[in-house]
Amino acid sequence: MERRTKVTVHPPDDRGLREVRVGRETVGSAWSLRELRGILRRHGHPEDLDPDDRSAVSWLGGGSDTWPDRTWHRRATIGLMAAGLVGGWALLTAIGIPDAFEALTFAGRITGFVFLLGGVAEAAAAVAVFDYWGKRGLKISGAIVSVGVLIALTVTTMLVFLWFQEMEYTDYTRAFFPLFVWSLWALYVVIRAKAWRGTPHPTKIAAGVTATALLAAVNIAYSAVYQPTAAPANLALTVRFGVPRADLERPVVQLPVTLHLRNSGSVPVYVLGDNWSVFGRSGKYVEKSDGLRDLRPALEASREHDASRMAGSFTWDTLAAGPFTGPGTWFDPGEEYTEEKVVQISKGAKYDVVDADLDVMVMRKDRGKIDLDAFGIEQYSWDEESVVHCLPKDCGENLLYHAQVRYNNNLVNVTRKPRYVTSWWGLNPTGSGWDASISTFKGKGLINDEETQREYRRFDLFTVEAHTAVPFAAIVSSPRP
């Protein structure tokens, strides 16, 4: 009579899986009596083996009719866990790729690659789900799943926190809110199952996940608070008059004007809008006065109307105006740009002062990225096919520039609607006008001033001005031929 090694079927674990041993060797695990017969057949036992034969099979923690596996519950858990982790992989990858390869700061690129690594961990966890809620052939599959769940919870929590700052609905909102709810459920599942049991060094794994979250948070704080303070942007502008020359054929004086810009700060800057103008000032003069004149106009108009003791009722005529570098140009630290202009002034003009102004609005290049291909295209406000269209009777006639601008941290981009930079420059019979804004304005409707001011602070927009003046008498009294 052939003697066979005794078979031992151990009690069901928390999933209903029963370990099977032949002698002292573990040969597999079974969810059902059918799976048990298959395992025994592969190890040389006959197909007609009676599982209830106590001389051949020893049952611990329940007999041959004790198979508590809830198949549909287990499969539903596997499906939900895997789907959530795949969603986390897609979300982290979508967030990480733009920063990893296009971020404007080193810290931003590092954070992007960290998110990509987090996406890899999510994908690995999605695969590990099938093992952990299966036969558990890999000892660390539970730990891998736990790490994936913690990463998903950390990232979605940050996204929800950022979203509540503006509460703007985007395509990503429909992704990270359900994932946030899923991650809370998944955390409950892994805690209840104690999925990390049997994992070597679980505290080190948890520390790694925490460090990843802290790195992302530190990058946001660094780019938004520390960097603008430690590396301030600065722009040096100068405008000066050259030597006037008399026109030999016409009764005018040719007055050269030199415009100069230098990025004297430590970060690159975009130019969003600029303008230069030359004015001729005239006024009424008196021989005697008891004090400064035209005090109220001086208070109301600030720099444009100085208060004077011997003169008042100033008026200004625009002699020349135009853009300088134009929207969309950008300057690295130390880079310079100079442009020469010539203004014609009538010799018989009744001006007392000739004044020149240069204004430039810039944005820190490390705070956001402008689509320069789109921003460099000139549009016309009166053209119905322009992205930004406004009737001349409402807005005048302007050159327009419009393009999307992205925050330097893609975590912020996915929680807010797209922002657009709009710049316009125009002429009218009395001079020129220009301005620029950043908002959710896409070309239709009205620009929200409150939103624009908020985005000015976030993207660190600022305007730099330069001013010079010369007596008109000095121009007409000594012009060179």
Side-chain angles (χ1 to χ4, degrees):
M1 180 177 179
E2 182 181 2
R3 181 179 179 83
R4 296 186 180 276
T5 306
K6 184 178 181 180
V7 176
T8 304
V9 182
H10 285 257
D13 62 11
D14 55 347
R15 299 159 296 161
L17 189 65
R18 304 189 73 166
E19 180 182 341
V20 181
R21 291 188 180 184
V22 176
R24 295 183 179 181
E25 180 185 359
T26 299
V27 295
S29 299
W31 300 106
S32 64
L33 184 60
R34 180 180 178 181
E35 284 195 15
L36 174 63
R37 290 184 183 277
I39 292 172
L40 296 179
R41 185 170 59 253
R42 289 192 296 273
H43 286 81
H45 290 269
E47 293 186 12
D48 58 352
L49 174 69
D50 183 5
D52 293 320
D53 181 1
R54 296 296 180 175
S55 64
V57 182
S58 174
W59 294 89
L60 304 178
S64 61
D65 58 347
T66 305
W67 302 97
D69 175 35
R70 294 182 293 169
T71 304
W72 290 108
H73 178 271
R74 179 168 55 86
R75 289 177 179 175
T77 301
I78 291 174
L80 287 173
M81 292 293 290
L85 290 165
V86 169
W89 161 79
L91 180 63
L92 267 70
T93 302
I95 293 174
I97 286 178
D99 281 348
F101 298 102
E102 299 179 6
L104 301 172
T105 63
F106 178 75
R109 297 209 170 195
I110 291 297
T111 303
F113 279 108
V114 168
F115 272 92
L116 291 181
L117 289 176
V120 172
E122 294 288 279
V127 175
V129 163
F130 294 92
D131 180 75
Y132 181 73
W133 273 277
K135 298 298 183 67
R136 293 185 182 174
L138 185 65
K139 290 184 178 180
I140 62 172
S141 60
I144 295 175
V145 173
S146 300
V147 168
V149 170
L150 287 175
I151 291 175
L153 178 62
T154 301
V155 172
T156 54
T157 300
M158 286 193 296
L159 291 172
V160 170
F161 174 77
L162 290 171
W163 182 86
F164 271 106
Q165 292 183 355
E166 298 290 334
M167 292 190 290
E168 297 177 352
Y169 291 94
T170 69
D171 292 338
Y172 286 94
T173 307
R174 293 190 291 268
F176 64 75
F177 264 106
L179 276 175
F180 174 68
V181 176
W182 170 89
S183 63
L184 294 175
W185 168 81
L187 182 64
Y188 166 77
V189 171
V190 297
I191 290 176
R192 185 179 180 183
K194 296 183 179 179
W196 58 86
R197 285 186 302 184
T199 303
H201 312 298
T203 55
K204 291 184 179 180
I205 295 175
V209 176
T210 303
T212 301
L214 288 176
L215 180 61
V218 167
N219 177 53
I220 295 176
Y222 171 82
S223 60
V225 180
Y226 172 75
Q227 191 178 41
T229 304
N234 195 20
L235 204 66
L237 299 181
T238 56
V239 53
R240 65 178 184 272
F241 292 118
V243 178
R245 296 185 180 275
D247 193 297
L248 299 181
E249 297 182 0
R250 291 172 291 272
V252 297
V253 175
Q254 308 283 356
L255 179 62
V257 182
T258 301
L259 311 172
H260 179 77
L261 174 153
R262 180 176 182 273
N263 184 351
S264 56
S266 55
V267 294
V269 294
Y270 290 112
V271 174
L272 301 188
D274 53 30
N275 184 77
W276 68 273
S277 301
V278 176
F279 304 95
R281 191 190 77 172
S282 58
K284 295 181 179 180
Y285 287 80
V286 296
E287 294 183 0
K288 295 182 179 180
S289 176
D290 295 331
L292 295 176
R293 303 175 60 193
D294 292 343
L295 300 182
R296 181 175 293 180
L299 292 173
E300 292 175 346
S302 184
R303 185 179 63 83
E304 285 81 0
H305 290 275
D306 298 327
S308 174
R309 188 182 186 92
M310 306 306 295
S313 302
F314 294 121
T315 58
W316 299 81
D317 294 333
T318 303
L319 303 178
F324 182 34
T325 65
T329 55
W330 57 278
F331 294 90
D332 283 322
E335 192 173 355
E336 301 181 61
Y337 179 76
T338 301
E339 194 168 323
E340 303 286 347
K341 304 288 185 179
V342 177
V343 179
Q344 293 77 32
I345 309 175
S346 171
K347 294 179 180 178
K350 302 300 182 180
Y351 303 128
D352 57 353
V353 173
V354 175
D355 174 284
D357 294 330
L358 175 61
D359 308 322
V360 179
M361 176 182 281
V362 297
M363 182 189 95
R364 292 176 64 110
K365 200 168 180 283
D366 60 350
R367 300 303 293 273
K369 183 177 181 179
I370 298 175
D371 182 356
L372 293 180
D373 290 336
F375 199 49
I377 300 175
E378 290 185 348
Q379 303 180 56
Y380 307 102
S381 61
W382 59 88
D383 187 351
E384 295 183 359
E385 296 183 359
S386 294
V387 175
V388 183
H389 171 63
C390 185
L391 295 176
K393 66 178 182 178
D394 299 325
C395 308
E397 296 182 344
N398 299 282
L399 283 177
L400 298 170
Y401 306 85
H402 183 79
Q404 185 174 353
V405 56
R406 296 174 58 86
Y407 293 99
N408 67 336
N409 191 301
N410 206 34
L411 267 177
V412 180
N413 289 318
V414 301
T415 59
R416 294 177 186 165
K417 293 179 180 179
R419 265 44 178 182
Y420 298 88
V421 54
T422 304
S423 177
W424 55 93
W425 185 89
L427 290 171
N428 57 66
T430 60
S432 62
W434 71 278
D435 204 349
S437 71
I438 294 180
S439 66
T440 56
F441 175 71
K442 297 175 63 174
K444 305 298 181 183
L446 299 176
I447 295 177
N448 187 311
D449 291 337
E450 181 179 349
E451 182 182 64
T452 296
Q453 292 302 318
R454 187 166 60 245
E455 298 305 322
Y456 273 18
R457 295 189 294 270
R458 289 173 176 167
F459 286 97
D460 200 5
L461 273 64
F462 60 95
T463 300
V464 182
E465 301 176 352
H467 173 81
T468 190
V470 63
F472 183 64
I475 296 175
V476 296
S477 62
S478 58
R480 294 184 181 181

